[in-house]
Amino acid sequence: MKPLYHPAAADITVEGILYALSDPVRVRIYAEIVRSDCPRTCSNFLRIDDRTLPKSTLSQHFKVLREAGLIRSERKGVEMRNTSRCEELRERFGDMVGAIIDAYKEQFARQDAAARRETPEV
Amino acid sequence: MKPLYHPAAADITVEGILYALSDPVRVRIYAEIVRSDCPRTCSNFLRIDDRTLPKSTLSQHFKVLREAGLIRSERKGVEMRNTSRCEELRERFGDMVGAIIDAYKEQFARQDAAARRETPEV
DNA sequence: TTTTGTGGTTCGGGAATTACGAACAAATAG
DNA sequence: CTATTTGTTCGTAATTCCCGAACCACAAAA
């Protein structure tokens, strides 16, 4: 099986990060990886945001996150342990990634609130 | 001619902004608009980053920036005045956009430095 | 050791986007 | 009016994206 490509910290680009995080599904995944203590696997996200995603699609999303430099993936037996590269990113980009995640969090909260207003619970 | 669509501040999304700024050409344009005192026009950017861009492509880039909510465009005679929507963006997203621009600035500086090392001037 | 199961990747093709040349539109100058 | 300048729209080729099907690697069961 092909080795997993991870860019060196110096090769991580802003455009790569922004592109990776410009997809709501990928952000949900990334935010959960950041938030979580233990590493997350691909199949932790088969259901996300009320949608069921095929695993081929998920695999692609993880690849994008990995090759953008946002996460580190290690095979551990059958599964893949994904962890965030926080420290390296902060080192290189200051609080940019944090600011993005925060902005998304607020947006998701708004959207959830709006949805709840539409459908005021069953 | 069709009216120009500008999203209301409340309708600006994080993913829209990240996507718009995940293209190096668009970032150069946006950064220049932010930096500049007077409004910038489309044809200010026919040459950018050592490439010549067709104006149809440029027009699309401006449209993406506008519809993401990053810039405001007003027809003034034959040309289009583009200004940044800084205040609204800061209001809504804090320092996210600023952090992105700063990160890009540093990256561009690095890349220019690396290029100069390759070609140590004629 | 074969079989079965699980987690994930790769491949292929249709759908959706993107880039850009050509034609067009609107304002202004001569 | 005609010519110029600035920018948009349209059509199409090229690229990218999504997802089902097939596949690969490892582990545990038989």
Side-chain angles (χ1 to χ4, degrees):
Chain A
M1 207 159 244
K2 283 185 190 171
L4 299 170
Y5 171 69
H6 292 86
D11 296 333
I12 297 176
T13 65
V14 179
E15 61 268 31
I17 290 181
L18 296 195
Y19 174 73
L21 297 183
S22 71
D23 179 294
V25 170
R26 279 194 296 263
V27 176
R28 299 253 185 202
I29 293 172
Y30 179 67
E32 172 64 18
I33 290 175
V34 170
R35 197 193 59 70
S36 175
D37 294 334
C38 54
R40 306 277 76 191
T41 72
C42 199
S43 53
N44 284 147
F45 299 98
L46 286 171
R47 277 204 67 77
I48 192 171
D49 205 22
D50 276 338
R51 288 178 0 104
T52 300
L53 294 185
K55 47 187 189 154
S56 58
T57 301
L58 272 178
S59 179
Q60 286 305 317
H61 282 323
F62 274 87
K63 186 179 180 186
V64 172
L65 291 171
R66 180 168 58 245
E67 301 195 340
L70 285 163
I71 64 175
R72 188 170 294 285
S73 312
E74 294 170 284
R75 287 185 217 287
K76 189 81 178 184
V78 228
E79 65 186 19
M80 186 85 91
R81 305 301 190 74
N82 295 284
T83 50
S84 111
R85 296 178 66 177
C86 295
E87 315 72 23
E88 295 166 88
L89 291 168
R90 174 170 306 277
E91 174 88 24
R92 182 128 163 51
F93 301 108
D95 55 357
M96 181 185 78
V97 178
I100 292 171
I101 297 297
D102 289 348
Y104 261 117
K105 274 185 190 155
E106 196 175 315
Q107 175 175 312
F108 290 152
R110 271 182 188 235
Q111 290 171 344
D112 291 354
R116 237 172 292 114
R117 236 170 289 122
E118 289 272 318
T119 321
E121 221 51 39
V122 211
Chain B
M1 207 162 244
K2 283 183 188 171
L4 300 169
Y5 170 68
H6 291 86
D11 295 333
I12 298 176
T13 66
V14 179
E15 60 268 31
I17 289 182
L18 296 195
Y19 174 73
L21 297 183
S22 71
D23 180 294
V25 170
R26 279 194 296 262
V27 177
R28 298 252 184 200
I29 294 172
Y30 179 67
E32 171 64 17
I33 290 175
V34 170
R35 197 193 59 71
S36 175
D37 294 335
C38 54
R40 306 276 77 189
T41 71
C42 199
S43 53
N44 285 147
F45 299 97
L46 287 172
R47 277 205 68 77
I48 191 170
D49 205 21
D50 276 338
R51 289 178 0 104
T52 300
L53 294 185
K55 47 188 190 152
S56 59
T57 300
L58 229 28
S59 179
Q60 286 305 316
H61 281 322
F62 275 87
K63 186 179 180 188
V64 172
L65 290 171
R66 180 169 57 245
E67 301 194 341
L70 285 163
I71 64 175
R72 187 170 294 286
S73 311
E74 294 169 285
R75 286 186 218 287
K76 189 78 178 185
V78 74
E79 65 186 18
M80 187 84 91
R81 305 301 190 76
N82 295 284
T83 50
S84 112
R85 296 178 67 176
C86 296
E87 315 72 24
E88 295 166 87
L89 291 169
R90 173 170 308 276
E91 174 89 23
R92 183 128 163 52
F93 300 108
D95 54 358
M96 181 185 78
V97 178
I100 292 171
I101 297 298
D102 289 348
Y104 261 117
K105 274 185 189 154
E106 196 175 314
Q107 174 175 313
F108 289 152
R110 272 183 187 235
Q111 290 170 344
D112 291 352
R116 238 173 291 115
R117 237 171 287 122
E118 291 270 319
T119 321
E121 220 51 38
V122 209

